[in-house]
Amino acid sequence: MSDRLDPTAIRARVLDELARVVPELEPDTLPGNRPIRDELDVDSMDLLNFVIGLSKAFGLDIPEADYKRIATVDALVEYIDRRLR
């Protein structure tokens, strides 16, 4: 049996990391298909801190070139899921 995280567990961890940067986040109200920056009005530093937190949480290097590919929660979950395989 694999220790690989399923998409639901990945999503929960992504939202946990996002809540560290945006404490007022209400995860249930965040649309998965909308850009995080637009929905939460986060600045560049917040976004960078979020990506650093994700890198540590998942043990992945997330290059700046990939930031546009991970603009939404849904895209992030898919990106991390593929990278963990």
Side-chain angles (χ1 to χ4, degrees), residues 4-52:
R4 191 170 83 79
L5 296 171
D6 67 23
T8 301
I10 293 171
R11 181 177 299 276
R13 194 174 290 179
V14 165
L15 292 173
D16 285 348
E17 289 303 319
L18 189 54
R20 291 179 200 274
V21 176
V22 184
E24 66 276 7
L25 172 69
E26 294 182 30
D28 296 338
T29 64
L30 181 64
N33 62 346
R34 300 269 307 139
I36 294 167
R37 286 189 75 167
D38 294 347
E39 288 298 310
L40 300 176
D41 196 31
V42 295
D43 63 23
S44 301
M45 270 319 274
D46 289 338
L47 186 63
L48 180 60
N49 288 329
F50 173 52
V51 173
I52 290 169

Side-chain angles (χ1 to χ4, degrees), residues 45-74:
M45 270 319 274
D46 289 338
L47 186 63
L48 180 60
N49 288 329
F50 173 52
V51 173
I52 290 169
L54 289 173
S55 295
K56 290 178 182 176
F58 291 101
L60 294 173
D61 177 40
I62 302 173
E64 189 174 348
D66 287 352
Y67 287 10
K68 288 185 180 185
R69 294 177 47 204
I70 58 172
T72 69
V73 172
D74 291 347

